[in-house]
Amino acid sequence: MMTAPILREIVRQHAEMAAFLWTVYDYNLRHPGKNPEMDDERMARLVARLEAHLDGLRVAGETGRGIAKERYDEFPEAGELFVVRMLAGSSNMRIVDLDLEKVRKYLATEGASEKAGVLAPGHSGISRPKK
C-alpha cells in the first residue's frame, strides 16, 4: 500500500501556526478581559484550530516532529517549544487536559535550559494531565 506523500511546506505551516496559536491562547488565559472579542466561543475555536495543527504534525509522524524541532531551533520561543514537547512521545495529550501552570513553568525553565543545551533528550514536562 502506498503512503501519501508528506508535503513539508504544509507541515511547516502546521508547526508555525500551532506555536502562534499556543501563544495567543496562553496570553488570553493570563490576561482575561484584555481582548473583549475573545469570548468563550472564540476561545473554543482557537483551541480547536490549535488541536488541528498539532494533529497535522502528528499525522506527519517523524517528519512532523523534525520540522517542529527545526522551527524551534530557528525560533527558540515558548510557542515553538510547546509544539516540540506536545509531539514528544506517543501521548496525544489534548489542550484541555493540560495543567497550564506546569506547562508555563516547564516552558520558562526548560526553554532556558534547552537554550543553554542542558535539556535531556526525550524529557517532557508538558504531557501530564491535570490532577
Side-chain angles (χ1 to χ4, degrees):
M1 182 169 141
M2 269 180 65
T3 59
I6 296 173
L7 304 174
R8 291 185 59 86
E9 183 64 20
I10 301 299
V11 176
R12 181 191 59 77
Q13 290 174 16
H14 282 306
E16 290 174 356
M17 285 304 299
F20 171 72
L21 292 171
W22 164 257
T23 60
V24 172
Y25 174 70
D26 188 48
Y27 177 85
N28 281 286
L29 288 178
R30 288 184 291 114
H31 301 95
K34 190 99 169 169
N35 179 358
E37 294 182 9
M38 188 58 76
D39 57 16
D40 289 343
E41 181 179 345
R42 286 189 176 96
M43 194 69 128
R45 285 187 206 157
L46 187 145
V47 169
R49 288 178 55 209
L50 173 54
E51 295 282 7
H53 286 293
L54 289 171
D55 287 344
L57 289 160
R58 288 180 182 120
V59 167
E62 194 58 41
T63 301
R65 286 186 290 280
I67 289 172
K69 181 69 170 97
E70 289 169 12
R71 301 307 329 141
Y72 178 69
D73 290 344
E74 188 169 348
F75 302 101
E77 302 296 333
E80 285 74 14
L81 179 57
F82 172 80
V83 172
V84 168
R85 292 307 180 206
M86 285 297 286
L87 300 176
S90 61
S91 175
N92 285 338
M93 181 65 62
R94 307 320 283 180
I95 302 301
V96 298
D97 296 328
L98 296 175
D99 181 325
L100 294 177
E101 291 307 314
K102 286 183 181 179
V103 171
R104 289 177 186 131
K105 182 177 178 185
Y106 172 81
L107 292 175
T109 59
E110 299 303 334
S113 297
E114 190 161 291
K115 286 178 189 176
V118 298
L119 181 61
H123 178 266
S124 175
I126 288 180
S127 297
R128 294 188 180 138
K130 291 189 255 187
K131 293 189 179 193

